Amino acid sequence: MDLSGIDAVLFDMDGTLVDSDAAVERAWRTWAAEYGVAPAAALAIAHGRPADQTIRRLLPALDDIVVAAAAARQLALQYDDLSDVTATPGAHELLMALARLGLPWAVVTSADARLAEARLGAAGIVAPVLITVEDVSVGKPDPQGYLRAAELLDVSTARCLVVEDAEVGLRAGRAAGAMTAALKGLDGDLRLDDLAQLAHRLESAPATP
């Protein structure tokens, strides 16, 4: 994949820039026990989706008010659970490479602002542009978040690289018209073992004329 035409990088947060998988799973297991849902069923579909979308799939009979309360409870379980939240391997190396290359970047997450800022802070990352579930009317796999990030960076989505570790996020990136880089063995335009690999690829890409 030719990375010389990349003008910006748009990152997912959980599992991509921030290693929070254990915290996410703990919260969903606790929530599932409280709401009478099989934990495995919740974990199978929760990653990368807004909490309300996951809850609607798990408990389709709930009305909007109850779904909102259930989603708020799920997020509340995560806010203060930061003990083992860190940057993912290669994250800081990649962000330093982007700074050297002068490439703008943003974070597009299904978390709300409070949770996103807490997890990014725990990982030692300050996002220049942060799009959360509160900034969009529809979450991933809808492309709205990635389209909004590209707009704020004043870059065409066709010249953006979306970096994701969940299939719903990759679908959102593709729907936005961006190129995709996939972690955790998923299929994107580029498959990554870690973010350091992307740093090396970007820095070795020929400069655009």
Side-chain angles (χ1 to χ4, degrees), residues 26-117:
R26 284 193 296 270
W28 276 109
R29 288 183 187 280
T30 300
W31 180 92
E34 292 178 359
Y35 280 81
V37 172
L43 293 174
I45 63 170
H47 191 59
R49 294 180 188 275
D52 63 336
Q53 283 189 18
T54 299
I55 290 164
R56 288 182 192 281
R57 291 186 63 181
L58 292 168
L59 298 170
L62 297 186
D63 64 29
D64 290 349
I65 293 174
V66 179
V67 167
R73 172 57 180 157
Q74 210 288 325
L75 287 170
L77 290 166
Q78 300 186 51
Y79 288 141
D80 299 321
D81 189 356
L82 303 171
S83 60
D84 52 1
V85 173
T86 62
T88 55
H92 287 292
E93 181 179 346
L94 175 54
L95 296 180
M96 287 188 289
L98 295 181
R100 288 191 294 270
L101 293 166
L103 285 175
W105 59 279
V107 173
V108 179
T109 176
S110 295
D112 67 3
R114 176 180 170 184
L115 183 58
E117 289 166 2

Side-chain angles (χ1 to χ4, degrees), residues 1 3 6-11 146 157-163 178-181 189-190 192 198 202:
M1 177 183 172
L3 295 177
I6 298 298
D7 287 343
V9 181
L10 310 179
F11 294 99
Y146 283 121
T157 52
R159 297 182 68 86
C160 289
L161 180 66
V162 164
V163 186
M179 292 167 275
T180 58
D189 297 310
L190 179 65
L192 299 174
L198 180 56
L202 286 168

